[in-house]
Amino acid sequence: MNSAAVFDFTCPVKTNSGNKALEHLPVELAGLNAVNPLIVANARAVGPKAVRTLMNAFGDSKMTLGLFEGVTEAADLGVVDHLKNICLEKKYDAFIALGGGKAADVAKVLNLAVSLKTPDARQLSPKTPVRKRLLPLVVVPTAGADGLETSGFAHLNRMIFSSEFLAPGLAVLDSRLARARKGILMAATGLAALGRAVESHVSADRNPFQKAYSFAAVRFVRENLPAAVADPGNKKAALAVLNAAAMSGCAFSNAASGRLHKLGQVFYELLGIPQGVIMGMCLSRVLEDGFREGSCDPAALLQPLAGDDAFARTPAGKRAEAALALLNRFLEELRGALGKDLPKSLSEAGVSGYRKEEILDVLGKDEDGHYLRGVVEGMAGGKRERKG
Amino acid sequence: MSIIKDVQSGKKPLKRAYVAIFLWFTGRAIQAAAKVDSEVKKEFEKLPEDFTFSLGCLPCGPWMVVGREKGVVKYLGGDSRGRPVQVRLAIKSLDAGFLILSFQESTALATARNRLITDGEIPQALAIIRILDIVEVYLLPKLIASLAVKRYPSWWSFGRKLGGRIGVYTRTLLGI
Amino acid sequence: MLLPDYYEFCCRVKIVAGHDALEKIPDLLIERGAKKPLVITDKGVAGAGLIDIVSRALGDRVQADLIADDVPPDSDLRVVNRLARLYRDNACDAIIAVGGGSVMDTAKGINIVVSENAEDLMAFSGVGALKRPLKPLVAVPTTAGTGSEVTQVAVIKDHEKHLKMAFGSYFLLPDISILDSRMTLTMPPFITAMTGMDAMSHAVEAYYCLQKNPLSDAHALSAVGMIYRHLPLVVKNPDDREGRLAMAVAACLAGIAFSNSMVGLVHNLGHATGSVCGVPHGLCMAILLPYGLEYNLHKMADVMAELLLPMAGEQVYLATPAEQRAQKVVSLIRGLNEDLHAITGGRHARCLQEIKDREGKPSVPRDVLPQIAAAALLDGASIYNPEDTDYEDNLMVLEAAWEGKPLDRSRVKKG
Ligand SMILES: [Fe+2]
């Protein structure tokens, strides 16, 4: 705890997690004075079964639900404006985002547009002041979530909207939606959660409240991701990974955007590569560099990563190295289990030299651009040696 | 055509029927236990003369209502019929009700898992939970009952268990 | 870390902590569209000069000169209604509550009345009666203990009708909690000791009671470690600003943990002892905590064992065989009570028979124990205790705690 300065922490998200969690939605919404919710989903990403599971959860509630299944990766403020007009006319009074990624982004910005009754949602920008509470927003992350669902951030039209009021009031994590078809989907979710949780957990300005979330997230990934990857049908492990993702979003909302997040985000926005894949690729490098520069403290990771016994047995002075070694081994094992499915370098991920240049250009505009570009160069693959 | 579809939520007739039957059964069992078991009797005697409580599922039922009429404990059906209810134990969804009443999740665990909302004065609600615990011990074989309650009362005499169980069962089915 | 089959967790409160956290209040109020808060507190807090500090910190960017400093320690419906009228008559738009549990509960009650435009507060009692956000409420705790700055419940009494109404809703959570070391800096050592042990009991009970979940666990673990380390230090050295801030933060972490995972036997018996004998809550908690652990040990030993590392550190943890760790936690808490007893010159009682009132008479005579055991059956905390409790169980624990002898665990009824 850095007590020299005043710190603050907020996590507006309530978590409901587990067996039949979705079935509590009618009661949860009633408690928020909402009776007519709109479900926002990318049906192609989450699959028809997930939509059905969510709709069935409302069975016997006598409610009417709006359903918009057409979120795509290309969704933008134009789509939001169109939806907003229908919402105002039909008086939807709450939003439920099914699945991660763009569905959550669209739902957050849509909630902003509807709550503020913005005449033209295409005019919304990160500068639009958000002073008041918006309508109730629920996120229902599925396998493939990236953790940003529970955060106060939304990415749309290459803009980053950020406010604690954008964060959902409720995250519902249901075992039935946690399972993935493929191990790599689980790995991407888990690594994105790990990346953001680690970044928040080792940062110099972390506080004890934020640490509760990042601690639990790191430990859950460490204890459950291998099992979830080895058997994507393992409900319990998959749900734990989804929990870790949700927690990482809460921790991340309260930390300064770190290097791992920036790298994951730029590849996702420009090339659609899952953030976890990129974060897994550069996690060790970014942490080692931060440790060397003295800007982060990997020793804090040892307890959640290694467990109580191993942590207690490691002398204080050796904890940072031990944590980094453990993290490397963990990632190696994950790569071993997934083989070709989890690319180890940009060339394995199919990023051409031309697309890489594009990424480098965007990163160049960041205040930390010089460093970030260096990391991307190091991830290129082929014969290039990683330098310290 | 609008890009937003409006969909009516469906129905769950089978689950609803199962939950309704078990609520009926539990209600009748409480009525019976109040006659047979001295502890249940004592708990009820401490409650007001016209005390009524309900147990059921949100948002749309089913419910069971049990109350005292001139001091006698009675199962009052699935509807409080305008009677004021002092304690309401509301399960957050029909599916959670199914979990509890099919004994996949004990009452204590369901409360611990935040699936049960208790409305009313706390001492009275606690009395109801104790009554439900005792009734569960009577109704269920030890294996299932020990899942349903925190501590299976192994110190009860064999006589109380057996005699009580027969009494509660016959009265539940005959409705006396 | 265990993932329960189902759990819920919520703490929507914005927490602001630091040596000059109070100075952030004006910005936070303005952000929420409020400019004229009603400040409520009690005579003790005002008399200790804490309101002057708050007023100075608020400055003139918000109009905060309306101060009601007469919330009694045993607040009730009349007080709530009177202050709600004051709020309305002066067109206030937010509430700043400075104090302990009674002030917080009163503030929550006022907030319901003024936000819902209610005539009858009673209509909103129970769980789930509130459906929308209330007016901005800023909580400034002045004891590092109760955790009421982050709980979603309020208990308000109606002394005329002899009723105790409980309100529960996530909308009752304060919007903002301010943890400022200046608010606890002048708290006398023996009060610091017992309120600190209240926080400890929140964290420990939250960690082993039935509604525990990964997030309440993470909060509890961190709180236990901070309290165990800092409490004896601040009791010994009241001017320790860092220690004071750490205790405020730890008590808040513990509050978040227990309001999501609930408390068990320790609070159950503690509430009953408090209401029968009128003894301070924190003192009951300090005394009963080791017994709550012992009573539930046969069911939760593995879980309790996990508290040893944050409390005692690596050396002790490694030196204690795994199967003895839970028992070690119990003895460390007894040891902490002994230390606090010594530092406060005996004012921190170690067993129920040592609690004395102002005249030095014992507050808990042995013959009231049956009454306490019976009263405990009326308290909701028993639901979340891992092991069942009945009248005899309660009495057995109370008798041991009265004498100050460890619980004879062979007498605990096991299913
Ligand atoms: Fe307490």
Side-chain angles (χ1 to χ4, degrees):
Chain A
M1 189 167 62
N2 175 8
S3 60
V6 172
F7 68 83
D8 64 77
F9 177 85
T10 336
C11 176
V13 191
K14 179 185 181 206
T15 307
N16 287 8
S17 156
N19 191 10
K20 305 279 178 200
L22 286 172
E23 271 71 6
H24 292 341
L25 269 171
V27 168
E28 290 285 350
L29 289 170
L32 297 165
N33 232 2
V35 289
N36 192 13
L38 172 69
I39 296 170
V40 178
N42 176 347
R44 286 197 35 210
V46 297
K49 201 169 154 217
V51 178
R52 247 190 342 265
T53 307
L54 174 58
M55 302 300 275
N56 285 345
F58 285 86
D60 224 53
S61 71
K62 299 184 181 151
M63 287 170 78
T64 308
L65 315 161
L67 174 63
F68 173 66
E69 301 181 276
V71 177
T72 63
E73 284 303 315
D76 59 8
L77 287 173
V79 176
V80 169
D81 190 55
H82 187 64
L83 288 170
K84 176 215 70 184
N85 291 331
I86 306 177
C87 287
L88 288 174
E89 178 197 330
K90 292 199 176 181
K91 302 205 162 50
Y92 293 110
D93 55 10
F95 300 92
I96 302 174
L98 174 63
K102 275 286 166 286
D105 291 330
V106 168
K108 285 175 189 171
V109 182
L110 176 61
N111 189 14
L112 181 67
V114 173
S115 303
L116 301 180
K117 299 200 171 67
T118 314
D120 184 356
R122 280 163 296 196
Q123 303 299 317
L124 286 172
S125 83
K127 294 204 181 74
T128 310
V130 193
R131 288 256 166 82
K132 62 170 207 166
R133 266 176 233 270
L134 311 182
L135 286 168
L137 168 68
V138 179
V139 293
V140 182
T142 57
D146 53 30
L148 286 180
E149 299 81 17
T150 50
S151 74
F153 294 90
H155 294 82
L156 221 54
N157 286 35
R158 298 248 173 119
M159 293 187 286
I160 304 173
F161 293 81
S162 147
S163 158
E164 65 182 74
F165 296 107
L166 280 180
L170 174 67
V172 181
L173 314 172
D174 193 292
S175 337
R176 286 162 294 177
L177 301 183
R179 283 178 296 175
R181 277 157 296 159
K182 286 193 253 150
I184 177 67
L185 261 178
M186 222 59 250
T189 302
L191 288 173
L194 183 67
R196 293 206 180 86
V198 159
E199 202 148 54
S200 150
H201 202 71
V202 300
S203 76
D205 56 358
R206 65 189 184 259
N207 65 60
F209 298 93
Q210 177 188 346
K211 255 166 77 182
Y213 286 83
S214 52
F215 181 94
V218 173
R219 193 162 259 194
F220 263 177
V221 170
R222 159 82 180 154
E223 287 176 349
N224 297 285
L225 187 57
V229 165
D231 174 11
N234 183 337
K235 263 193 191 182
K236 188 117 196 182
L239 182 64
V241 173
L242 217 54
N243 264 272
M247 294 165 186
S248 74
C250 298
F252 172 73
S253 288
N254 285 278
S257 276
R259 291 166 167 177
L260 283 169
H261 165 75
K262 284 180 186 166
L263 288 163
Q265 198 60 38
V266 68
F267 279 93
Y268 171 67
E269 289 279 324
L270 265 62
L271 307 178
I273 301 176
Q275 301 165 11
V277 170
I278 297 295
M279 291 195 202
M281 235 182 259
C282 55
L283 183 55
S284 297
R285 157 100 194 250
V286 169
L287 274 187
E288 280 161 16
D289 291 346
F291 180 44
R292 210 169 310 117
E293 293 165 10
S295 60
C296 79
D297 169 29
L301 286 174
L302 191 62
Q303 197 182 1
L305 275 179
D308 289 357
D309 278 12
F311 164 78
R313 269 186 262 110
T314 312
K318 297 223 166 82
R319 284 186 185 149
E321 279 91 354
L324 289 169
L326 203 59
L327 197 62
N328 273 330
R329 205 158 63 233
F330 178 74
L331 292 168
E332 271 320 313
E333 278 166 18
L334 212 55
R335 289 183 193 118
L338 282 161
K340 279 206 298 291
D341 286 346
L342 183 64
K344 289 183 271 297
S345 64
L346 292 180
S347 60
E348 280 184 31
V351 179
S352 63
Y354 160 70
R355 300 310 305 262
K356 196 187 81 189
E357 290 305 321
E358 214 180 324
I359 299 271
L360 291 175
D361 271 356
V362 174
L363 287 175
K365 290 175 200 127
D366 193 280
E367 65 208 28
D368 200 13
H370 179 70
Y371 175 79
L372 295 174
R373 288 168 57 113
V375 176
V376 171
E377 296 286 7
M379 284 154 62
K383 293 240 161 56
R384 196 188 292 258
E385 265 300 299
R386 232 184 48 193
K387 55 175 196 251
Chain B
M1 203 189 85
S2 169
I3 52 173
I4 296 178
K5 278 186 286 192
D6 278 323
V7 186
Q8 279 295 322
S9 63
K11 291 205 160 61
K12 295 179 177 173
L14 283 178
K15 256 182 197 151
R16 208 182 156 85
Y18 179 94
V19 171
I21 290 167
F22 265 82
L23 283 174
W24 173 86
F25 197 73
T26 312
R28 299 276 287 253
I30 294 171
Q31 176 180 322
K35 296 199 177 101
V36 174
D37 186 273
S38 60
E39 221 170 296
V40 175
K41 207 183 281 178
K42 247 196 324 204
E43 290 287 0
F44 269 114
E45 273 160 14
K46 279 186 262 170
L47 295 166
E49 273 287 290
D50 57 346
F51 178 81
T52 310
F53 80 92
S54 63
L55 167 68
C57 302
L58 294 171
C60 300
W63 292 90
M64 67 130 207
V65 185
V66 171
R68 292 180 80 189
E69 274 180 354
K70 296 191 197 106
V72 182
V73 178
K74 279 202 176 137
Y75 168 63
L76 299 169
D79 183 339
S80 68
R81 294 189 210 106
R83 273 175 78 119
V85 174
Q86 280 86 37
V87 169
R88 194 180 75 138
L89 299 175
I91 303 168
K92 282 188 185 169
S93 70
L94 183 66
D95 285 79
F98 183 76
L99 286 179
I100 296 167
L101 293 164
S102 57
F103 312 106
Q104 298 174 50
E105 211 170 273
S106 74
T107 333
L109 216 61
T111 317
R113 287 182 184 162
N114 241 318
R115 292 201 200 270
L116 211 65
I117 302 173
T118 322
D119 250 329
E121 272 196 52
I122 293 161
Q124 298 183 345
L126 287 172
I128 300 305
I129 290 176
R130 281 194 293 272
I131 290 167
L132 284 172
D133 268 1
I134 297 173
V135 171
E136 277 174 358
V137 171
Y138 277 129
L139 286 182
L140 306 171
K142 175 171 178 178
L143 193 76
I144 299 179
S146 51
L147 293 177
V149 300
K150 274 190 208 170
R151 174 167 75 181
Y152 191 79
S154 47
W155 54 92
W156 279 16
S157 71
F158 185 68
R160 178 175 174 194
K161 253 182 231 165
L162 190 69
R165 190 167 289 162
I166 292 169
V168 172
Y169 259 113
T170 43
R171 281 163 188 272
T172 301
L173 294 172
L174 298 173
I176 48 174
Chain C
M1 205 164 238
L2 226 66
L3 181 64
D5 253 27
Y6 182 78
Y7 80 90
E8 297 184 1
F9 181 92
C10 177
C11 181
R12 297 202 173 113
V13 183
K14 183 181 194 86
I15 293 151
V16 183
H19 295 305
D20 34 35
L22 288 166
E23 275 75 1
K24 302 277 176 195
I25 297 176
D27 278 339
L28 293 164
L29 283 178
I30 292 165
E31 243 173 55
R32 283 161 181 74
K35 312 180 277 302
K36 195 173 178 202
L38 169 66
V39 180
I40 75 160
T41 187
D42 61 39
K43 286 269 186 282
V45 170
L50 300 184
I51 291 299
D52 299 335
I53 301 176
V54 173
S55 294
R56 231 174 296 132
L58 287 173
D60 48 14
R61 295 182 45 226
V62 290
Q63 192 192 335
D65 44 9
L66 193 63
I67 298 163
D69 64 359
D70 52 355
V71 176
D74 190 22
S75 178
D76 73 345
L77 190 60
R78 275 208 329 260
V79 180
V80 168
N81 284 331
R82 178 167 57 77
L83 295 180
R85 216 171 307 126
L86 185 70
Y87 179 104
R88 282 175 178 151
D89 291 348
N90 290 281
C92 295
D93 50 17
I95 303 172
I96 301 178
V98 189
S102 180
V103 171
M104 294 301 160
D105 280 359
T106 307
K108 289 170 186 171
I110 299 170
N111 206 1
I112 298 174
V113 176
V114 298
S115 303
E116 293 284 345
N117 242 322
E119 287 307 316
D120 183 15
L121 183 62
M122 190 69 165
F124 294 91
S125 70
V127 179
L130 296 168
K131 305 260 186 203
R132 53 175 175 224
L134 309 179
K135 301 282 180 206
L137 170 61
V138 181
V140 184
T142 55
T143 57
T146 66
S148 54
E149 70 273 17
V150 284
T151 58
Q152 68 235 23
V153 291
V155 176
I156 289 156
K157 290 180 193 152
D158 183 343
H159 283 135
E160 281 154 24
K161 293 189 186 147
H162 300 285
L163 278 178
K164 212 169 145 182
M165 299 177 285
F167 299 79
S169 164
Y170 289 114
F171 296 121
L172 281 180
L173 284 169
D175 295 73
I176 299 157
S177 283
I178 305 285
L179 310 175
D180 190 305
S181 54
R182 287 169 289 177
M183 293 293 101
T184 51
L185 211 52
T186 50
M187 192 166 36
F190 80 100
I191 295 181
T192 305
M194 68 189 187
T195 51
M197 285 307 286
D198 185 20
M200 180 66 115
S201 73
H202 295 154
V204 172
E205 281 211 291
Y207 199 70
Y208 71 73
C209 280
L210 287 177
Q211 209 165 289
K212 76 194 249 78
N213 63 63
L215 285 169
S216 71
D217 283 354
H219 285 83
L221 283 174
S222 150
V224 165
M226 289 172 80
I227 298 168
Y228 190 76
R229 205 167 49 246
H230 290 284
L231 182 57
L233 298 178
V234 289
V235 174
K236 208 179 290 172
N237 195 350
D239 300 330
D240 172 8
R241 285 170 77 230
E242 297 304 323
R244 290 289 191 186
L245 183 59
M247 278 305 296
V249 167
C252 185
L253 285 163
I256 295 173
F258 96 86
S259 62
N260 281 284
S261 138
M262 309 310 274
V263 283
L265 181 66
V266 176
H267 272 79
N268 187 355
L269 296 180
H271 291 153
T273 312
S275 70
V276 173
C277 305
V279 290
H281 175 69
L283 211 43
C284 297
M285 294 301 101
I287 293 167
L288 290 164
L289 184 55
Y291 297 94
L293 285 156
E294 283 173 327
Y295 184 82
N296 291 296
L297 200 116
H298 61 285
K299 278 199 163 170
M300 305 305 276
D302 292 350
V303 167
M304 293 169 182
E306 291 164 3
L307 295 170
L308 186 59
L309 180 59
M311 280 172 79
E314 298 86 329
Q315 299 305 325
V316 178
Y317 176 84
L318 291 174
T320 315
E323 67 281 2
Q324 287 169 26
R325 283 178 188 153
Q327 196 61 59
K328 182 79 183 168
V329 168
V330 180
S331 56
L332 286 182
I333 289 182
R334 287 219 162 86
L336 179 58
N337 273 329
E338 288 290 343
D339 289 350
L340 296 173
H341 178 80
I343 305 169
T344 57
R347 287 192 79 176
H348 184 82
R350 294 163 298 182
C351 51
L352 293 177
Q353 64 172 322
E354 278 184 1
I355 307 181
K356 304 262 162 58
D357 63 13
R358 276 166 203 276
E359 281 100 61
K361 280 202 309 247
S363 302
V364 188
R366 184 158 199 156
D367 54 6
V368 300
L369 297 185
Q371 205 187 327
I372 301 175
L377 296 175
L378 308 178
D379 183 87
S382 61
I383 297 178
Y384 303 98
N385 194 61
E387 185 56 282
D388 227 343
T389 54
D390 58 24
Y391 172 79
E392 279 95 45
D393 303 323
N394 291 344
L395 191 59
M396 172 182 69
V397 174
L398 285 165
E399 276 173 347
W402 192 85
E403 288 178 8
K405 283 196 197 128
L407 193 66
D408 176 2
R409 289 187 37 235
S410 65
R411 286 179 60 210
V412 177
K413 278 186 282 187
K414 301 166 183 107

